[in-house]
Amino acid sequence: MRRFWWLAALCALVLGACAQNGSEGGNRPVVGVSLLTRQDAFYRELERGLKEEAAKQKLTVRLDAGEFDLARQQGQLENYTVQKVAAIVVCPTDSQGIGPAIARANQADIPVFTADIRAKEGAVVSHIASDNVAGGRLAGEYAAKRLNGRGQVAIIDQPYIQSVIERVRGFEEALKPYPNIRVVARLTGDGVRDRSLKAAEDLLQSQRKLDAVFAVNDESAFGVVSAIEAAGRKGIFVMGYDASEEARKLIAGGKSPLQADIAQDPYRIGQETIRAVATHLAGQPVEPVIPVPVRLVDKAALGNETLTPAP
């Protein structure tokens, strides 16, 4: 076997050269992608958009997920940087905390793109995401109309995620013209069902008069719905964000507290992200922010094929 040592060495040199120019096989640039999670339907659809567009653009996607663990995601970005991939795409688990890992990629001259969730630090070529301020505003306008300009609402939040911060900002901006609508509580559900359930239980115990809840994603909304139903509370409606298939079924049925949702287009976010990467790698300019429209989904809208996008 020793006679083949030179062949192993040659293979190592070839693979090293490919890594140095961010390619596999010397021809397809490699894009390292770290999703927030692969356990959520939204990110599975975003992943599908990434992969299918990458095939069209002749890019290779090396895909991981942080699974809500900042240290894990930092490690993934560090690996991409050491491997000298052609570009990095990240959906940050923590908008602030991911900054140092992005900065190290910057130092290695690797272009970084963010998808769905914005990073607060580090140089990013382009951010591709839903228009979250517009989405929050749609939810706020829906609440104001349902409440006839008067009532008490709560927010189940995830305040360390920039996209969520934007959703809540849009929601609160939409309520400003209605002084008789009060935001009486803002609790953190961490974007997951079980913690949002617990937050909603605490909310219902502390707020005997409550008319509506804005949950910042569908997993949060499902937790809130479970808490409301378990407590037997009537007259509270819930607004979610994502319009997943599960959420659409609840809304269409008309009996769930979940009455409205903001529909995103994760597949298109994935597509637009890879297109931005390919454009940048081709040496062409890319917009620093690429917004993807959102739309309101309620029972009436689900009965129509054409839904009106957010402005």
Side-chain angles (χ1 to χ4, degrees):
M1 296 295 291
R2 288 183 180 179
R3 72 183 66 180
F4 297 111
W5 67 268
W6 58 270
L7 183 58
L10 179 61
C11 288
L13 285 172
V14 171
L15 290 172
C18 290
Q20 289 296 316
N21 65 12
S23 301
E24 285 184 354
N27 53 10
R28 285 204 171 204
V30 177
V31 182
V33 177
S34 179
L35 299 175
L36 175 68
T37 178
R38 298 177 87 175
Q39 306 306 311
D40 187 287
F42 176 92
Y43 283 100
R44 290 195 294 272
E45 192 66 6
L46 192 153
E47 178 181 341
R48 188 170 71 87
L50 286 167
K51 288 181 173 178
E52 292 185 6
E53 188 63 28
K56 294 178 185 177
Q57 299 291 343
K58 293 182 170 53
L59 298 173
T60 296
V61 171
R62 186 173 297 159
L63 199 140
D64 298 289
E67 298 302 345
F68 302 99
D69 185 331
L70 175 60
R72 178 175 177 175
Q73 189 169 65
Q74 287 172 327
Q76 291 164 358
L77 265 64
E78 293 284 358
N79 286 339
Y80 301 151
T81 301
V82 170
Q83 293 161 3
K84 295 188 180 299
V85 297
I88 292 173
V89 174
V90 58
C91 309
T93 62
D94 185 312
S95 296
Q96 188 79 38
I98 201 62
I102 292 175
R104 283 187 281 276
N106 296 155
Q107 291 167 3
D109 293 324
I110 298 173
V112 179
F113 300 75
T114 51
D116 183 47
I117 301 169
R118 194 187 300 269
K120 289 186 176 179
E121 292 185 359
V124 171
V125 175
S126 183
H127 175 60
I128 304 91
S130 298
D131 190 338
N132 284 296
V133 174
R137 195 176 295 122
L138 283 174
E141 290 168 353
Y142 175 87
K145 185 176 179 180
R146 280 284 300 262
L147 295 170
N148 293 316
R150 180 183 298 273
Q152 299 194 91
V153 302
I155 299 169
I156 299 299
D157 206 349
Q158 192 181 8
Y160 47 87
I161 298 292
Q162 186 61 32
S163 58
V164 171
I165 293 170
E166 293 168 6
R167 293 169 194 178
V168 172
R169 186 172 85 234
F171 182 76
E172 292 180 328
E173 284 176 359
L175 295 182
K176 282 182 180 178
Y178 304 93
N180 292 320
I181 297 179
R182 294 176 55 233
V183 177
V184 295
R186 193 164 157 177
L187 303 178
T188 299
D190 288 329
V192 294
R193 196 174 307 208
D194 56 348
R195 294 176 190 171
S196 296
L197 170 61
K198 180 62 172 65
E201 288 173 342
D202 294 341
L203 171 67
L204 295 173
Q205 289 176 8
S206 63
Q207 301 293 330
R208 300 310 305 169
K209 178 68 175 76
L210 187 65
D211 300 296
V213 179
F214 175 47
V216 295
N217 66 6
D218 277 351
E219 287 299 303
S220 300
F222 299 146
V224 175
V225 166
S226 295
I228 291 171
E229 291 177 338
R233 294 282 291 270
K234 304 295 183 182
I236 303 173
F237 66 90
V238 178
M239 298 154 289
Y241 203 109
D242 285 336
S244 63
E245 190 61 31
E246 184 179 354
R248 287 170 180 264
K249 288 179 180 177
L250 289 176
I251 293 168
K255 295 181 179 180
S256 169
L258 184 60
Q259 294 288 298
D261 219 310
I262 304 303
Q264 303 189 80
D265 192 344
Y267 181 83
R268 183 173 168 187
I269 293 173
Q271 283 184 312
E272 295 290 349
T273 299
I274 291 298
R275 288 170 186 164
V277 171
T279 299
H280 179 78
L281 293 179
Q284 299 174 17
V286 177
E287 290 294 324
V289 177
I290 301 174
V292 176
V294 295
R295 59 189 184 272
L296 177 74
V297 170
D298 61 6
K299 188 174 181 179
L302 288 173
N304 299 315
E305 290 187 359
T306 303
L307 302 178
T308 304

Short mmCIF file of all heavy atoms in Angstrom, two decimals, residues 217-263:
data_model
loop_
_atom_site.label_atom_id
_atom_site.label_comp_id
_atom_site.label_asym_id
_atom_site.label_seq_id
_atom_site.Cartn_x
_atom_site.Cartn_y
_atom_site.Cartn_z
N ASN A 217 -44.58 34.16 15.44
CA ASN A 217 -44.48 33.13 14.41
C ASN A 217 -45.55 32.07 14.70
O ASN A 217 -46.23 32.13 15.73
CB ASN A 217 -43.07 32.52 14.32
CG ASN A 217 -42.67 31.74 15.56
OD1 ASN A 217 -43.47 31.52 16.47
ND2 ASN A 217 -41.42 31.30 15.59
N ASP A 218 -45.68 31.11 13.81
CA ASP A 218 -46.77 30.15 13.98
C ASP A 218 -46.56 29.21 15.15
O ASP A 218 -47.52 28.83 15.82
CB ASP A 218 -46.96 29.34 12.68
CG ASP A 218 -47.81 30.09 11.67
OD1 ASP A 218 -48.38 31.13 12.03
OD2 ASP A 218 -47.89 29.63 10.51
N GLU A 219 -45.31 28.82 15.40
CA GLU A 219 -45.07 27.96 16.56
C GLU A 219 -45.50 28.66 17.85
O GLU A 219 -46.09 28.04 18.73
CB GLU A 219 -43.60 27.54 16.62
CG GLU A 219 -43.19 26.54 15.57
CD GLU A 219 -43.96 25.23 15.69
OE1 GLU A 219 -43.92 24.61 16.77
OE2 GLU A 219 -44.60 24.81 14.70
N SER A 220 -45.24 29.95 17.94
CA SER A 220 -45.70 30.73 19.09
C SER A 220 -47.23 30.76 19.12
O SER A 220 -47.85 30.60 20.18
CB SER A 220 -45.16 32.15 19.02
OG SER A 220 -43.75 32.16 19.03
N ALA A 221 -47.83 30.97 17.95
CA ALA A 221 -49.29 31.05 17.87
C ALA A 221 -49.95 29.75 18.31
O ALA A 221 -50.96 29.76 19.03
CB ALA A 221 -49.72 31.39 16.44
N PHE A 222 -49.37 28.60 17.94
CA PHE A 222 -49.95 27.32 18.33
C PHE A 222 -49.90 27.14 19.84
O PHE A 222 -50.83 26.60 20.45
CB PHE A 222 -49.22 26.17 17.64
CG PHE A 222 -49.29 26.21 16.14
CD1 PHE A 222 -48.22 25.77 15.37
CD2 PHE A 222 -50.42 26.68 15.49
CE1 PHE A 222 -48.27 25.80 13.99
CE2 PHE A 222 -50.48 26.72 14.10
CZ PHE A 222 -49.41 26.28 13.36
N GLY A 223 -48.81 27.59 20.46
CA GLY A 223 -48.74 27.54 21.92
C GLY A 223 -49.79 28.39 22.58
O GLY A 223 -50.43 27.99 23.56
N VAL A 224 -50.01 29.58 22.04
CA VAL A 224 -51.03 30.49 22.58
C VAL A 224 -52.42 29.89 22.43
O VAL A 224 -53.24 29.92 23.36
CB VAL A 224 -50.96 31.86 21.87
CG1 VAL A 224 -52.10 32.77 22.34
CG2 VAL A 224 -49.62 32.54 22.14
N VAL A 225 -52.70 29.32 21.26
CA VAL A 225 -54.00 28.70 21.00
C VAL A 225 -54.26 27.57 22.01
O VAL A 225 -55.35 27.47 22.58
CB VAL A 225 -54.07 28.18 19.55
CG1 VAL A 225 -55.26 27.23 19.37
CG2 VAL A 225 -54.18 29.34 18.57
N SER A 226 -53.25 26.75 22.25
CA SER A 226 -53.41 25.64 23.21
C SER A 226 -53.72 26.16 24.60
O SER A 226 -54.57 25.60 25.31
CB SER A 226 -52.14 24.79 23.24
OG SER A 226 -51.93 24.15 22.00
N ALA A 227 -53.06 27.24 25.00
CA ALA A 227 -53.29 27.80 26.34
C ALA A 227 -54.69 28.38 26.45
O ALA A 227 -55.38 28.19 27.47
CB ALA A 227 -52.24 28.88 26.63
N ILE A 228 -55.15 29.07 25.43
CA ILE A 228 -56.49 29.66 25.45
C ILE A 228 -57.55 28.58 25.53
O ILE A 228 -58.51 28.65 26.32
CB ILE A 228 -56.70 30.55 24.20
CG1 ILE A 228 -55.82 31.81 24.29
CG2 ILE A 228 -58.17 30.95 24.05
CD1 ILE A 228 -55.81 32.63 23.01
N GLU A 229 -57.38 27.53 24.71
CA GLU A 229 -58.37 26.45 24.69
C GLU A 229 -58.38 25.68 26.02
O GLU A 229 -59.44 25.33 26.53
CB GLU A 229 -58.08 25.52 23.53
CG GLU A 229 -58.35 26.19 22.17
CD GLU A 229 -58.01 25.31 20.99
OE1 GLU A 229 -57.19 24.36 21.16
OE2 GLU A 229 -58.53 25.56 19.89
N ALA A 230 -57.19 25.45 26.58
CA ALA A 230 -57.11 24.72 27.85
C ALA A 230 -57.74 25.52 28.99
O ALA A 230 -58.34 24.95 29.91
CB ALA A 230 -55.65 24.40 28.18
N ALA A 231 -57.61 26.85 28.92
CA ALA A 231 -58.17 27.71 29.97
C ALA A 231 -59.66 27.97 29.77
O ALA A 231 -60.31 28.54 30.65
CB ALA A 231 -57.41 29.03 30.02
N GLY A 232 -60.18 27.58 28.61
CA GLY A 232 -61.60 27.82 28.33
C GLY A 232 -61.94 29.28 28.14
O GLY A 232 -63.10 29.67 28.30
N ARG A 233 -60.96 30.09 27.78
CA ARG A 233 -61.20 31.52 27.59
C ARG A 233 -61.85 31.75 26.22
O ARG A 233 -61.38 31.27 25.20
CB ARG A 233 -59.90 32.30 27.71
CG ARG A 233 -59.27 32.27 29.10
CD ARG A 233 -59.96 33.23 30.05
NE ARG A 233 -59.72 34.60 29.71
CZ ARG A 233 -58.69 35.32 30.17
NH1 ARG A 233 -57.80 34.77 31.01
NH2 ARG A 233 -58.54 36.59 29.84
N LYS A 234 -62.91 32.52 26.22
CA LYS A 234 -63.62 32.84 24.99
C LYS A 234 -63.37 34.31 24.60
O LYS A 234 -63.02 35.13 25.43
CB LYS A 234 -65.12 32.60 25.15
CG LYS A 234 -65.49 31.19 25.61
CD LYS A 234 -65.12 30.15 24.56
CE LYS A 234 -65.56 28.75 24.99
NZ LYS A 234 -65.18 27.73 24.01
N GLY A 235 -63.59 34.60 23.33
CA GLY A 235 -63.54 35.99 22.88
C GLY A 235 -62.14 36.54 22.65
O GLY A 235 -61.97 37.75 22.47
N ILE A 236 -61.13 35.67 22.66
CA ILE A 236 -59.76 36.11 22.37
C ILE A 236 -59.37 35.57 21.00
O ILE A 236 -59.46 34.37 20.76
CB ILE A 236 -58.76 35.61 23.42
CG1 ILE A 236 -59.15 36.04 24.83
CG2 ILE A 236 -57.34 36.10 23.09
CD1 ILE A 236 -58.29 35.44 25.93
N PHE A 237 -58.94 36.45 20.10
CA PHE A 237 -58.47 35.96 18.82
C PHE A 237 -56.94 36.13 18.72
O PHE A 237 -56.35 37.01 19.35
CB PHE A 237 -59.18 36.63 17.64
CG PHE A 237 -58.91 38.10 17.46
CD1 PHE A 237 -57.86 38.55 16.67
CD2 PHE A 237 -59.74 39.05 18.07
CE1 PHE A 237 -57.63 39.91 16.49
CE2 PHE A 237 -59.51 40.40 17.89
CZ PHE A 237 -58.46 40.83 17.10
N VAL A 238 -56.34 35.24 17.95
CA VAL A 238 -54.88 35.18 17.83
C VAL A 238 -54.48 35.44 16.39
O VAL A 238 -55.13 34.98 15.45
CB VAL A 238 -54.37 33.79 18.28
CG1 VAL A 238 -52.85 33.69 18.11
CG2 VAL A 238 -54.78 33.50 19.71
N MET A 239 -53.40 36.18 16.23
CA MET A 239 -52.78 36.41 14.91
C MET A 239 -51.39 35.81 14.93
O MET A 239 -50.61 36.04 15.85
CB MET A 239 -52.69 37.91 14.62
CG MET A 239 -54.04 38.61 14.55
SD MET A 239 -53.91 40.38 14.95
CE MET A 239 -53.59 40.29 16.72
N GLY A 240 -51.07 35.00 13.92
CA GLY A 240 -49.75 34.39 13.83
C GLY A 240 -48.92 35.01 12.73
O GLY A 240 -49.29 36.02 12.13
N TYR A 241 -47.79 34.36 12.45
CA TYR A 241 -46.90 34.87 11.40
C TYR A 241 -46.16 33.69 10.79
O TYR A 241 -45.41 33.02 11.48
CB TYR A 241 -45.89 35.86 12.00
CG TYR A 241 -45.31 36.85 11.01
CD1 TYR A 241 -45.67 38.19 11.07
CD2 TYR A 241 -44.43 36.45 10.04
CE1 TYR A 241 -45.14 39.11 10.18
CE2 TYR A 241 -43.90 37.36 9.14
CZ TYR A 241 -44.25 38.69 9.22
OH TYR A 241 -43.73 39.61 8.33
N ASP A 242 -46.42 33.41 9.55
CA ASP A 242 -45.80 32.37 8.71
C ASP A 242 -46.83 31.74 7.78
O ASP A 242 -46.51 31.38 6.67
CB ASP A 242 -45.14 31.23 9.51
CG ASP A 242 -43.81 31.65 10.14
OD1 ASP A 242 -43.19 32.60 9.63
OD2 ASP A 242 -43.43 31.04 11.15
N ALA A 243 -48.08 31.57 8.28
CA ALA A 243 -49.14 30.93 7.49
C ALA A 243 -48.72 29.55 7.01
O ALA A 243 -48.84 29.21 5.83
CB ALA A 243 -49.57 31.82 6.33
N SER A 244 -48.24 28.74 7.95
CA SER A 244 -47.90 27.35 7.64
C SER A 244 -49.18 26.58 7.30
O SER A 244 -50.30 27.05 7.53
CB SER A 244 -47.21 26.70 8.84
OG SER A 244 -48.10 26.66 9.94
N GLU A 245 -49.01 25.37 6.80
CA GLU A 245 -50.17 24.56 6.42
C GLU A 245 -51.05 24.28 7.63
O GLU A 245 -52.29 24.32 7.54
CB GLU A 245 -49.70 23.25 5.79
CG GLU A 245 -50.81 22.44 5.14
CD GLU A 245 -51.50 23.17 4.00
OE1 GLU A 245 -50.84 23.97 3.33
OE2 GLU A 245 -52.71 22.92 3.80
N GLU A 246 -50.44 24.00 8.77
CA GLU A 246 -51.20 23.76 9.99
C GLU A 246 -52.02 25.00 10.38
O GLU A 246 -53.19 24.89 10.77
CB GLU A 246 -50.25 23.38 11.13
CG GLU A 246 -50.95 23.03 12.43
CD GLU A 246 -49.99 22.62 13.53
OE1 GLU A 246 -48.77 22.50 13.27
OE2 GLU A 246 -50.46 22.43 14.68
N ALA A 247 -51.40 26.16 10.27
CA ALA A 247 -52.10 27.40 10.61
C ALA A 247 -53.26 27.66 9.65
O ALA A 247 -54.35 28.06 10.07
CB ALA A 247 -51.11 28.58 10.59
N ARG A 248 -53.03 27.42 8.39
CA ARG A 248 -54.08 27.65 7.39
C ARG A 248 -55.30 26.76 7.66
O ARG A 248 -56.44 27.19 7.50
CB ARG A 248 -53.53 27.38 5.99
CG ARG A 248 -52.57 28.46 5.48
CD ARG A 248 -51.88 28.01 4.21
NE ARG A 248 -50.96 29.01 3.71
CZ ARG A 248 -51.25 29.91 2.77
NH1 ARG A 248 -52.45 29.92 2.22
NH2 ARG A 248 -50.36 30.79 2.38
N LYS A 249 -55.05 25.54 8.05
CA LYS A 249 -56.17 24.62 8.34
C LYS A 249 -56.98 25.11 9.53
O LYS A 249 -58.22 25.06 9.52
CB LYS A 249 -55.63 23.22 8.59
CG LYS A 249 -55.12 22.52 7.33
CD LYS A 249 -54.57 21.14 7.66
CE LYS A 249 -54.06 20.45 6.39
NZ LYS A 249 -53.45 19.13 6.70
N LEU A 250 -56.30 25.60 10.56
CA LEU A 250 -57.01 26.12 11.73
C LEU A 250 -57.85 27.34 11.37
O LEU A 250 -58.99 27.47 11.79
CB LEU A 250 -56.02 26.48 12.83
CG LEU A 250 -55.32 25.31 13.54
CD1 LEU A 250 -54.29 25.84 14.54
CD2 LEU A 250 -56.34 24.42 14.25
N ILE A 251 -57.25 28.23 10.58
CA ILE A 251 -57.96 29.45 10.19
C ILE A 251 -59.16 29.11 9.31
O ILE A 251 -60.26 29.63 9.50
CB ILE A 251 -57.01 30.42 9.47
CG1 ILE A 251 -55.94 30.94 10.44
CG2 ILE A 251 -57.77 31.60 8.86
CD1 ILE A 251 -54.79 31.67 9.78
N ALA A 252 -58.95 28.23 8.35
CA ALA A 252 -60.04 27.86 7.43
C ALA A 252 -61.19 27.20 8.16
O ALA A 252 -62.36 27.36 7.79
CB ALA A 252 -59.50 26.93 6.34
N GLY A 253 -60.89 26.45 9.23
CA GLY A 253 -61.95 25.80 10.00
C GLY A 253 -62.84 26.77 10.73
O GLY A 253 -64.02 26.46 10.99
N GLY A 254 -62.31 27.93 11.07
CA GLY A 254 -63.12 28.99 11.67
C GLY A 254 -63.43 28.84 13.14
O GLY A 254 -64.02 29.74 13.74
N LYS A 255 -63.03 27.73 13.78
CA LYS A 255 -63.38 27.51 15.18
C LYS A 255 -62.22 27.76 16.14
O LYS A 255 -62.40 27.83 17.35
CB LYS A 255 -63.90 26.08 15.37
CG LYS A 255 -65.20 25.81 14.61
CD LYS A 255 -65.68 24.38 14.84
CE LYS A 255 -66.99 24.12 14.10
NZ LYS A 255 -67.47 22.73 14.31
N SER A 256 -61.03 27.87 15.61
CA SER A 256 -59.84 28.08 16.44
C SER A 256 -59.70 29.55 16.82
O SER A 256 -60.15 30.44 16.07
CB SER A 256 -58.59 27.64 15.67
OG SER A 256 -57.41 28.05 16.33
N PRO A 257 -59.08 29.85 17.96
CA PRO A 257 -58.75 31.25 18.28
C PRO A 257 -57.83 31.88 17.23
O PRO A 257 -57.81 33.11 17.08
CB PRO A 257 -58.04 31.16 19.63
CG PRO A 257 -58.56 29.89 20.24
CD PRO A 257 -58.75 28.95 19.08
N LEU A 258 -57.07 31.04 16.50
CA LEU A 258 -56.21 31.57 15.44
C LEU A 258 -57.08 32.01 14.27
O LEU A 258 -57.66 31.19 13.57
CB LEU A 258 -55.20 30.51 15.00
CG LEU A 258 -54.16 30.97 13.96
CD1 LEU A 258 -53.32 32.12 14.50
CD2 LEU A 258 -53.28 29.80 13.53
N GLN A 259 -57.14 33.32 14.07
CA GLN A 259 -58.05 33.89 13.08
C GLN A 259 -57.35 34.53 11.89
O GLN A 259 -57.98 34.75 10.85
CB GLN A 259 -58.94 34.95 13.75
CG GLN A 259 -59.90 34.38 14.79
CD GLN A 259 -61.03 33.60 14.15
OE1 GLN A 259 -61.83 34.16 13.39
NE2 GLN A 259 -61.12 32.32 14.45
N ALA A 260 -56.08 34.84 12.04
CA ALA A 260 -55.36 35.49 10.94
C ALA A 260 -53.88 35.18 11.04
O ALA A 260 -53.37 34.84 12.11
CB ALA A 260 -55.58 37.00 10.97
N ASP A 261 -53.20 35.29 9.91
CA ASP A 261 -51.78 34.96 9.86
C ASP A 261 -51.15 35.82 8.77
O ASP A 261 -51.84 36.25 7.83
CB ASP A 261 -51.60 33.48 9.52
CG ASP A 261 -50.46 32.84 10.29
OD1 ASP A 261 -49.37 33.43 10.28
OD2 ASP A 261 -50.67 31.77 10.89
N ILE A 262 -49.86 36.03 8.90
CA ILE A 262 -49.11 36.73 7.85
C ILE A 262 -48.35 35.69 7.05
O ILE A 262 -47.51 34.98 7.60
CB ILE A 262 -48.16 37.78 8.45
CG1 ILE A 262 -48.93 38.76 9.34
CG2 ILE A 262 -47.43 38.51 7.33
CD1 ILE A 262 -50.06 39.50 8.65
N ALA A 263 -48.66 35.61 5.78
CA ALA A 263 -48.05 34.60 4.92
C ALA A 263 -46.75 35.12 4.33
O ALA A 263 -46.71 36.18 3.70
CB ALA A 263 -49.02 34.22 3.80
#
